[in-house]
Amino acid sequence: MPHRRRRVFVDTPKGRRSAGFTVPESADAADVSMRLRERGWTPYALRLEPEQHAWVALVMDWQHAA
């Protein structure tokens, strides 16, 4: 039986977009945060949306904020 995975999205002032990866269902907020940092995002809050089966990170979009 395949293991379920959760999609990861980032919310920026410009809107929500896919982070481009998924994490195992067992992943916690620290795991998601580390993966986001590896991809260049700076998350300051994470929330799990169980009904969407996804993690949503609030990030600073420094490239577009300036």
Side-chain angles (χ1 to χ4, degrees), residues 42-58:
T42 306
Y44 62 88
L46 287 165
R47 73 176 178 275
L48 178 62
E49 292 187 352
E51 65 281 352
Q52 299 297 320
H53 210 71
W55 281 96
V56 177
L58 299 174

Side-chain angles (χ1 to χ4, degrees), residues 22 54 57 62:
T22 61
W62 295 111

